Amino acid sequence: MHTLPSHAMRPLCLNPSLCSSRFPFFSFSIPIFHKFKNNPTIYKKSQKGPPFFSIRCCGSGSVTAKPSWELRRNRAAVQEPDEKVVALRQLFTKPGIGIDAYIIPSQDAHQSEFIAECYMRRAYISGFSGSAGTAIVTKDKAALWTDGRYFLQAEKQLNSSWKLMRAGNFGVPQASEWLTDVLAPGGRVGIDPFLFSYDATEELKEVISKKNLELVYLYDLNLVDEIWKESRPKPPNKPIRVHDLKYAGIDVVSKLSSLRAELVAAGSSAIVISMLDEVAWLLNLRGSDVPHSPVMYAYLIVEIDAAKLFVDDSKVTSEVMYHLKKAGVELRPYDSILSEIRRLAAEGAHLWLDTSSVNAAIVETYKAACDKYLMNRGSRGKTKNKQYFESDSLPVGPSGVYMQSPVSLAKALKNPSELEGMQNSHLRDAAALAQFWCWLEEEIHKNMKLTEVDLADKLLEFRSKQDGFLDTSFDTISGSGANGAIIHYTPEAESCSVVDPNKLFLLDSGAQYVDGTTDITRTVHFGEPTAREKECFTCVLKGHIALDEAVFPENTPGFVLDAFARSALWKIGLDYRHGTGHGVGAALNVHEGPQSISFRYGNVTPLQKGMIVSNEPGYYEDHAFGIRIETKLVDLSLLSIEEMEWLNSYHSQVWEKVSPLLEGSARQWLWKNTRPITKQ
């Protein structure tokens, strides 16, 4: 599955020594927390973060895929009325609000990719259900930005009241730039500060201030929630569970001890952990608050001698309570996070904040509390609070340490137990896929009429029979023909297509198991593929092989390798609108940073031993087909001898590792599809 900020792709290859896996694995290295090369900034100004809404896609210059706007459906000349947008605009002039535009992002308060239904505000207001995008409503306009993975989907889902902004395309302004164009000087732009990282708000303020526009933080209410009202889904409250040490590999006490050593080295006395997968990983906990991701809504504050988990305690079982107590972790109400931030500032804490992920509400609350502390100290003289002082004679007030969270990299460098769990879960997942493809071929040969949803449901049935299965790791992308060209297409029962045996069928899916997370894509044709389809597919395969066989120096960032996967497509004038590889969590989020393999050169995180990274180049011809990996579609005349050897070695390893988990017709199917192939 593809994601934009730091990820994207599904694999064919198995690492030669770990052939059960869909991802290249690198061996574990210690210590748990690795030193960052950048130095901390121990003052109030944040380090500059990534550009606000700087979504980018490839496909520029002479290397292009057929642009979707050439084929998009005609829209009605008269805009359709949108009652939700009208109701939202009516709130702009209410007392205490007074804004001219309102921005609705995709994220929750933790900058999550997948979010609980009750936080899907952008989807509710716009009707666009893709996982990435930003909506802006002004008093007379409504616009939505999304990236190349979702252009076709957005065209289908947005009504004519909305303007689709194809982010990254030539001539399309960024959201902040658009605001400066459509609002008059002195205009006020409202946001919910819990839904934006601090870096994003700083970037936004910098751009809109050039037009004398003001950014307004609406702390106490979210305007979309105000019109959603009683129909808004309730917040999730399913129980949290302990992630067994045999899968986690390292106990919580050891993880917290390593983190505290990092705090001391950085001159910090406490850290706010707001990313949900970081909280889950650090505490060896898993939840089910978010679809497809085994996480729970929570914040974590770790101090030198204490740790507090901010969570709805109704989710905390007696087992989890005991688990946390052993590690010295106290519980606090989820909504009390800001009051705790104020307390830390009042006690002079040097608070570590990753401003690229911690929301603006938390950072601004801390900054305001720091200012209050200094004002009180100036008016009252020397304070008696010494908790965070370096010495009695040299008191030090609160100040921020603005750096990337050290948990992000520590989580990405998998330990041996995590790697073993990922390998084992991939083997079981491969068995489920083999059973599925065997079943599907039999059904197609019987001329059975099957829809895209039927296939997604059947795959879920096979997966659910595997040991340790918990959930899918993302919505299954089951696309026949033209639907396969919609990079994040999700079929729905009332509108999906019947699978056409004479067209390409793309299946992009994954699962969450108790010991690991999977993500795999295949493209098949049940009839006779065209020469064009085989050419495109084989170029995608060549790119996959090139990346798998790449040899590169230690500490090479992923963007350096991205061209390996695209080169074969570039040679025939093609490309794809997403990154090539993303990190994958160990029984956690299917998309994980900080590493990625992408054309986005801003991510300079080096690829290191212990990281798991996907390998999934693709090609999508709008309104025709989408491609990612299967053998019938290979044009052998385009493969070199070395590439043929790679493909046969891969199939040999698949048979060796997966066949013991199969029997009957599924085993026969696997044997038929993993036999050596040769050029005629």
Side-chain angles (χ1 to χ4, degrees), residues 175-231:
S176 54
E177 297 167 339
W178 182 81
L179 283 168
T180 64
D181 290 336
V182 302
L183 296 182
R188 289 163 53 88
V189 179
I191 66 168
D192 180 340
F194 285 94
L195 306 184
F196 292 79
S197 72
Y198 177 77
D199 283 354
T201 60
E202 288 296 288
E203 184 72 14
L204 175 58
K205 283 192 288 188
E206 180 179 350
V207 174
I208 68 173
S209 65
K210 298 174 182 178
K211 187 71 176 290
N212 194 29
L213 301 178
E214 178 186 358
L215 187 61
V216 179
Y217 289 176
L218 301 175
Y219 282 90
D220 299 326
L221 79 167
N222 183 285
L223 299 192
V224 175
D225 294 350
E226 290 295 299
I227 64 171
W228 208 344
K229 297 181 180 178
E230 291 77 14
S231 62

Side-chain angles (χ1 to χ4, degrees), residues 44 198 217 219 338 341-346 351 353 360-376 398-400 402:
K44 295 185 180 181
Y198 177 77
Y217 289 176
Y219 282 90
L338 294 187
I341 296 297
R342 296 186 188 99
R343 182 194 69 80
L344 287 169
L351 190 58
L353 294 163
I362 289 177
V363 179
E364 292 290 358
T365 295
Y366 178 69
K367 287 176 170 285
C370 289
D371 292 340
K372 181 178 179 181
Y373 174 99
L374 295 175
M375 289 178 61
N376 290 341
S399 58
Y402 301 105

Side-chain angles (χ1 to χ4, degrees), residues 538-551:
T538 306
C539 287
V540 171
L541 173 60
K542 289 168 71 70
H544 181 99
I545 295 172
L547 182 57
D548 181 76
E549 294 197 318
V551 178

